[in-house]
Amino acid sequence: MSIHLDPDKCLACTTCVVHCPVAEATPAFLGPRMIGPAFERFRLLGIVEDDSLKYCANCKNCEIACPQNVPVATINMLARMAQCQEIPPSFRDWIVAHGEVLARGLKYFPAWLKNMGTHLSLMRTLLDWIGIHKDCPMPNFAKTAFRDHLPRLSQKGFAKSVAFFPGCYINYYDPGTGFDLVWLLNQAGYRVFVPKDFVCCGIPLISGGFEKDARDNTRTNLRVLAELNAQKIPVISACPSCRLMLTREIGEFFPELMPKEKISIDDAQSFLLKCIATGELDIKTAHNSSVNISAIYHAPCHLRAQGAGLPALELLSYFPDIAICEANAGCCGISGSYGFKKEKYAIAQSVGARLFQRITTSGRPLVASECGTCRLQIAQATKKPATHPLTLVRAALQGRPLTLG
Amino acid sequence: MQLRTDVLVIGSGPAGLTAALSAAEHGCQVVVASSGAGTLAISSGCIDLLGQYQQQEISDPWEAMTKLPPTHPYSLLGCERVAKALQSFQAILARRKSDYFVAQKDGKNVNSRLPTILGTLKPSYLIPQSLDSSRLFSAKKVLVAGVEGLRDLSPKLCAHELALLPEFAETTFATTLFPSPLSQTHRGVSSLDLARRVASAEGKSWLTTCLGRFANAYDVILVPPILGIKASGQLVSELRQMLHCHVEELLTIPPGVGGIRLRETLIDEAREQKIRFLENVRINKACVSGQHCEYVAAVEDEEENLRLYAKNIVLATGGILGGGLFTTPDQVQEELFNLPVPPVQGQMCNASDVLAAHPISQTGLSVDRSLRPVDVHENMLLDNVFLAGRSIGGYDPADEKSGFGVAIATGWYAGVMAANAAGMEASA
């Protein structure tokens, strides 16, 4: 690994330091400017890595704030991958980065057994011992993974197809959101399929420092994406982190893998907005339903980092039955698996405190957010159900009351 | 995604936020698109209106304003509009319970002179209570207090330099270092770290204890900007009352605690006005037909991430530092509309006196009296684009101490003009 991004665009203005949620939570972190572009100059000289690099959560708020377009978090992740080649990451770090590999390995165990494994206090003590905090929120495995269940759905008579990149969260823990998307796209006249070779987007692997594994996944995904793009089949994602990785990040991490043709993958909400604009998706029926939904929306950091606005908010505003307000209170703190880690748990809770308070005082009974782990963190901290915006859109369009577990 | 709005403001610095608020106040639907968080959070939060004229510090900015060259943004707007802009801005701050004020002298609004960590005095106009320096100039005994681990402020240097100024010939300065309230830190402590700590109950009690030990012995205690992270000034007045001593913040280097307080205030107001924010959006494509901008877009790898249709656009993208103007070794460019930037008047590179005004600071786009961009012959180039803030040329914020003053004046007026052009009733 010898990619170094140019640190000299940084003017040391400290805007990123102001907006870094981790730097606010702990003075043990050198902060984005110092650990990113400033320390990069030391790295170029071969000077030993600063230990506090481990605190970067890769939440991207530094990049959102930077007026000079310095890829601060990407510099940090490249440095972490280089560091992990010298010092192999721990067993715990392997586990939290390889959710997909684990889930595949455990495929033939029933969900209840797996979930007992992640919720029994004895198991939590054991996990805590290896470094996964005993109080951190843990997702439940679904009975059947989304990708296993999808072929069983009858999707006949659709002339158009759309390829869906489900990501690990929807696939293993939250297939319901996937089915809501399938239902919505069926309404718009699209058959939805998941190409069998799609693998984890690699963002947890990057954050964990597993460069080779991330590269392997990227190579596979790029091959599938290139084939789909060549066939002019639209590809969509409903997870902001997956889409951030597949559209913006891979070119920075693995420029040598990038094909000549542009790789395109659309945001699910944005795609549905287009369907409404073209008339493919008729939302008139929604105006006759009486599913009153009142929710507060949290924009995931990895969505804000994409710089394409907040399409979910836009989409939800089409439905008179949905009263939505924006939380606008920054990062939830979880940053994928960051908040699971024993030594980061308190930081993650402290980062999210402002958001939790905003949600609690909003009086809204429901939280909407595209990101699976954001929802996990928010639901645990606020005791309010948290759902994907697509679930609300389906409920409003179908006139079907929400059932939230 | 595509969006439609009455007014699109590009940029979220002081000019952009002011423009957005003034357009919203006039009934417009407003979207703010920004790339980066703007310069507010690295500033002191002071609104410098006009601190120097022809390199001389001035007390009455309004008097000096009438003498500025006709191409200066203040001259284009006229003093009355500048005054109106500031009034409107102050009204917003008052509504948010922010404690900004302007010093008075002989019944006139005048500049304040604010001490900095380097022991210099800087003129500014609209300032928060925490920077009220009125007592400093009559104080007999002044304490400059630093904090252990806060390397930005050397109390000894600050006190030494202040003591050299003729204003303080009768004043005695002493210094101290408060013990750090942050136990172990891996990084150098900043004022922001301390301000955030002081915002907590333990931090407040730490500060009260530290100040309490000296309050009786001094008329004024100068501290770095650590008095909390809210612009309400509540903590400042509480401390002053409790300690019977005038605690005052020094101006310092970024991160800018005062600027963060102001930014939060403006953004809170914007949220209440239902202004929508689009972050990390690099607007780099403009579709113009004739003199009318049809839409702008953020394009990446030939793909449009976002397309924005706005009746009117306020371009508040900043100058060279903020990313609104782009420099090559021999010229300055504006990249979105490719507006002409008049060539730098004078030597582009090094000047012999590095501390003197430099022509590059005057560089920027030319506008007419309605803040629409014009070419060298003063022909209007775009009919629905209005400029605000640092991308406008013809003034030198560093030399004049007029940065945020111009940002707010042009921001407010650009917002009014955009609202007007969008068919809203706006009086200006």
Side-chain angles (χ1 to χ4, degrees), chain A residues 53-60 73 76-78 80-81 83-84 89 93 96-97 202-211 214 241 245 249 253 302 334-338 341 344:
Chain A
L53 176 64
K54 65 184 179 216
Y55 285 108
C56 174
N58 197 27
C59 70
K60 298 263 166 193
N76 293 348
M77 291 306 111
L78 285 166
R80 183 175 291 166
M81 287 193 275
Q83 184 189 34
C84 287
D93 287 354
V96 297
I203 209 165
L205 297 165
I206 297 272
S207 299
F210 298 90
E211 191 248 333
S241 299
M245 177 69 189
E249 308 262 274
F253 293 124
H302 283 179
I334 193 88
S335 288
S337 56
Y338 187 87
K341 298 174 182 177
K344 314 275 169 50

Side-chain angles (χ1 to χ4, degrees), chain A residues 5-7 36-37 40 43 70-80:
Chain A
L5 297 171
D6 179 11
E40 190 64 4
R43 288 181 196 113
V70 179
V72 187
T74 301
I75 289 175
N76 293 348
M77 291 306 111
L78 285 166
R80 183 175 291 166

Side-chain angles (χ1 to χ4, degrees), chain A residues 11 13-15 17-20 23-24 26-31 50 52 63-69 243 248 262-264 270 273 304-311 314 326 328, chain B residues 1-3 35-38 41-42 182 184-187 192-193 196 229 254-256 260 263 267 271 276-282 298 300-303 305-306 320-323:
Chain A
L11 303 176
C13 74
T14 74
T15 304
V17 181
V18 174
H19 293 89
C20 172
E24 181 173 357
T26 174
F29 182 37
L30 215 43
D50 183 89
S52 84
E63 296 184 11
I64 297 170
C66 178
Q68 301 294 332
N69 254 357
R243 181 165 186 267
R248 282 206 158 185
K262 195 195 134 41
I263 291 295
S264 176
S270 186
L273 281 167
R304 292 164 47 223
Q306 289 173 31
L310 305 176
E314 194 63 20
E326 195 191 341
N328 180 43
Chain B
M1 190 170 71
Q2 299 190 352
L3 281 179
S35 166
I42 53 170
L182 305 161
Q184 270 215 322
T185 64
H186 180 58
R187 61 170 184 260
L192 177 59
D193 292 324
R196 281 174 172 159
I229 45 169
I260 294 164
R263 186 170 187 273
I267 287 185
R271 294 280 174 184
R276 293 173 62 186
F277 286 85
L278 303 170
E279 294 173 291
N280 211 19
V281 177
R282 212 161 185 82
E300 205 173 333
D301 291 340
E302 297 156 39
E303 185 169 302
N305 260 335
L306 200 61
I320 295 163
L321 194 66

